[in-house]
Amino acid sequence: MDMDKVMELVGRAVGDVGATLAAGNVVLGHRLGLYKALAEGPATPEELAARTDTTPRYVAEWLAGQAAGGYVQHDDGTYSLSEEQAFALTNPDGPLYVPGAFVLATGIIRSEPRITDAFRTGAGVGWHEHHEDVFIGCEAFFRAGYIAHLVDEWLPALDGVVEKLQRGARVADVGCGHGATTVLMAQAFPATTVMGSDYHDASIEMARKRAADAGVAERTGFEVAGAQRFSGAGYDLVTTFDCLHDMGDPLGAARRIRTALDADGTWLLVEPAAGDTVADNLTPVGRLYYGASTLCCTPAARSQEGGYSLGAQAGPAALRQVATDAGFTRFRRVTGSPLNDVYEIRP
């Protein structure tokens, strides 16, 4: 046995355990407003505690850990955020909000006992069975990327779609969750109507509230419905954002999308960035998605009708096969981001 390799593994484990514990501390910073308050200017633990109505001793320990992890700056007992740290950690409505990912991750980990049982029994664990932080964190994590890319990059990459949306189109946002993408499209294209659907009733309730708060309630609608049964037909655009791989019957969903589209309609499919093989996905992004898929995505799919699990690293070949089997004839990757691949699929 090579002890150097053993110690290399131990070092990796130390880093991972530290990262696991750091996740809870990032969520603390998010919930208590510590990052936002620190962005106001450098502070000692006592000063930051005063800004946030928290206890200095706890804040001192938190700040030291954040500095050790590279999330804040430390200089002789005073802490601060760099411009880059503030950008990533303080604005939940911006194009990057790192704490959302940690809310999602810590929420998923709460379900570990159920997932352990599912490994033994083969049963699924439904999306709706997770802690509410999973729903809240998922929106916060993915919404930032949608703000950064959806309107300015992803939709313009589709052939003729933006022009339709500007004139006035009918859009179905399938698996809409809390409605982040539904609202973004309605805000960007005032002549267009967007119908969001999701099987999770609590998410639809929140989506209606988000649309009302954003002032687009009259141009949006929401229904509790699975992807195989959402209502309507003749849609110019159907969208699925980071959800096809969570479905127990993705082929059934694709077939329903095919029948719901207008003859010249488009399916915008956004999925986690992935290659076609495990070897392709042995990357930091692949590690993130495989971890989430093991604890959340695959169990969710197995809990549904069909019980077929694409997994969060399905890759373009598997996605193309689903589209082809559903009767689509055109499938192409049009753009992407570090976390997502974006596909245009047409009849």
Side-chain angles (χ1 to χ4, degrees):
M1 185 168 60
D2 188 331
M3 289 306 298
D4 288 338
K5 291 183 178 180
V6 171
M7 294 312 297
E8 181 182 348
L9 179 60
V10 169
R12 186 176 296 117
V14 168
D16 285 349
V17 173
T20 303
L21 297 172
N25 281 275
V26 172
V27 173
L28 282 174
H30 156 75
R31 289 193 169 134
L32 294 170
L34 295 168
Y35 294 119
K36 284 187 176 181
L38 191 58
E40 296 172 7
T44 64
E46 292 75 19
E47 290 167 341
L48 185 59
R51 291 178 194 173
T52 55
D53 195 25
T54 53
T55 304
R57 182 63 188 89
Y58 282 123
V59 172
E61 207 72 7
W62 181 82
L63 282 167
Q66 293 295 290
Y71 283 73
V72 308
Q73 305 294 312
H74 173 255
D75 182 16
D76 194 26
T78 298
Y79 297 86
S80 62
L81 291 176
S82 68
E83 182 180 358
E84 295 77 13
Q85 289 165 337
F87 174 76
L89 294 168
T90 64
N91 184 8
D93 296 320
L96 177 64
Y97 189 59
V98 168
F102 288 98
V103 173
L104 172 59
T106 54
I108 289 174
I109 290 172
R110 290 172 184 256
S111 297
E112 175 274 320
R114 286 188 174 188
I115 305 303
T116 299
D117 287 341
F119 264 67
R120 297 189 177 104
T121 65
V125 177
W127 174 260
H128 61 282
E129 297 180 78
H130 286 276
H131 189 273
E132 66 177 0
D133 278 357
V134 174
F135 322 135
I136 295 168
C138 187
E139 183 204 24
F141 173 50
F142 284 107
R143 180 170 174 264
Y146 302 151
I147 289 171
H149 303 292
L150 174 56
V151 173
D152 292 336
E153 298 172 23
W154 296 351
L155 288 170
L158 306 176
D159 186 16
V161 167
V162 167
E163 291 78 6
K164 287 184 179 181
L165 294 171
Q166 290 170 338
R167 291 194 302 266
R170 298 181 65 239
V171 179
D173 190 11
V174 178
C176 69
H178 284 187
T181 46
T182 313
V183 169
L184 285 170
M185 288 187 286
Q187 288 175 319
F189 303 101
T192 284
T193 58
V194 189
M195 172 64 74
S197 61
D198 199 288
Y199 96 95
H200 186 220
D201 54 356
S203 288
I204 288 297
E205 182 180 350
M206 179 59 72
R208 290 191 179 110
K209 182 180 185 303
R210 294 287 169 82
D213 291 344
V216 296
E218 293 183 358
R219 292 183 284 107
T220 58
F222 296 94
E223 64 174 340
V224 178
Q228 299 80 18
R229 299 180 179 86
F230 68 94
S231 62
Y235 288 108
D236 300 289
L237 176 67
V238 175
T239 60
T240 54
F241 293 95
D242 293 293
C243 63
L244 187 72
H245 66 274
D246 294 309
M247 299 177 188
D249 184 11
L251 177 56
R255 284 173 172 158
R256 172 65 190 117
I257 291 168
R258 175 70 180 83
T259 62
L261 278 171
D262 183 73
D264 190 37
T266 301
W267 175 14
L268 169 60
L269 171 64
V270 178
E271 281 289 296
D276 288 324
T277 69
V278 171
D280 292 334
N281 299 324
L282 299 182
T283 66
V285 171
R287 183 191 189 206
L288 183 157
Y289 281 132
Y290 278 131
S293 190
T294 301
L295 294 171
C296 186
C297 308
T298 299
R302 290 183 65 86
S303 75
Q304 301 169 36
E305 292 180 24
Y308 174 62
S309 308
L310 279 172
Q313 291 287 268
L319 299 173
R320 179 189 292 274
Q321 190 65 56
V322 170
T324 301
D325 290 348
F328 290 93
T329 62
R330 287 172 284 178
F331 177 100
R332 69 184 181 106
R333 184 186 183 279
V334 292
T335 187
S337 71
L339 294 175
N340 286 108
D341 287 323
V342 180
Y343 301 92
E344 178 185 66
I345 306 173
R346 297 174 68 96

